[in-house]
Amino acid sequence: MLEYCRKIFVVCILITLSTLGLYAQDYTTKSYIEKHSPAAQTLMRETGVPASVILAVAIHESAYGNSRIARYLNNHFGIKGKNNSKKIRSAYKGYGSVLDSYRDFVGLLQRRKATQPLFDKHNSEDYKGWIKGIARSGYSETGDWSRKVISTIDTYDLEKYDEKINLN
């Protein structure tokens, strides 16, 4: 009987913690890549931005989906803007879904004057050129951003998600 009561107690604790959001299952780098690589590859085929670049920037900016802005605002790229969240106060933009965040990141690259030339200058297999170009455009204010993002691509072999795309 005592063992049964202990099991019930543990289940109640787990349910309570889960309800409070304190027992959230975090992504691992591997699970993040498995879940989001199809979206990155679709965007690569649509726009020419390498999937490795999309994934590596998202992994770097969102702590592979585990940061507060990723969890509460679906923002995986650290893009600033308005949000309507009642759970978190933040200067970062809120999205209806992670896919919306991914699409807005690529859209941002397409819209910004400083990154528009990358689409003509680099193909979908030149991830280093893309990363260095994004860094030069002022996407991040930290000086070692491009080194860290390129290291992420190399460490997790993200270039295997890239393929030669001919958009012309």
Side-chain angles (χ1 to χ4, degrees):
M1 181 66 164
L2 184 59
E3 186 62 30
Y4 176 76
C5 289
R6 284 185 185 151
K7 287 180 182 179
I8 295 294
F9 178 74
V10 169
V11 169
C12 289
I13 294 291
L14 291 175
I15 289 171
T16 302
L17 291 174
S18 177
T19 303
L20 294 173
L22 300 174
Y23 186 73
Q25 182 178 356
D26 292 336
Y27 282 109
T28 64
T29 308
K30 182 180 178 187
S31 68
Y32 186 89
I33 293 166
E34 287 173 359
K35 180 165 179 122
H36 298 291
S37 61
Q41 288 180 303
T42 296
L43 288 168
M44 174 186 58
R45 290 182 194 110
E46 291 174 2
T47 66
V49 178
S52 61
V53 170
I54 297 167
L55 284 169
V57 172
I59 288 167
H60 178 73
E61 296 293 338
S62 72
Y64 42 91
N66 295 317
S67 72
R68 287 175 48 84
I69 66 164
R71 289 189 328 237
Y72 290 107
L73 301 175
N74 290 318
N75 186 330
H76 286 229
F77 295 92
I79 297 172
K80 294 204 173 185
K82 294 183 180 185
N83 70 70
N84 297 322
S85 177
K86 305 272 189 256
K87 296 179 181 179
I88 181 177
R89 287 184 47 166
S90 175
Y92 291 96
K93 191 172 180 179
Y95 295 95
S97 70
V98 174
L99 182 58
D100 290 343
S101 174
Y102 270 60
R103 288 196 179 283
D104 193 41
F105 170 70
V106 173
L108 178 75
L109 297 179
Q110 291 172 320
R111 291 187 304 271
R112 290 182 72 208
K113 198 172 239 180
T115 51
Q116 286 174 351
L118 298 174
F119 289 87
D120 294 325
K121 189 174 182 182
H122 302 288
N123 67 33
S124 57
E125 295 178 315
D126 183 13
Y127 69 88
K128 288 182 182 177
W130 276 92
I131 296 297
K132 290 176 182 176
I134 293 168
R136 276 192 304 272
S137 78
Y139 182 81
S140 174
E141 295 177 8
T142 57
D144 60 349
W145 182 87
S146 61
R147 183 187 56 76
K148 288 180 178 179
V149 176
I150 289 171
S151 176
T152 299
I153 292 171
D154 294 339
T155 300
Y156 299 106
D157 296 320
L158 298 180
E159 70 277 0
K160 71 183 176 189
Y161 297 99
D162 297 340
E163 56 192 54
K164 183 76 172 163
I165 304 294
N166 185 4
L167 297 174
N168 297 330

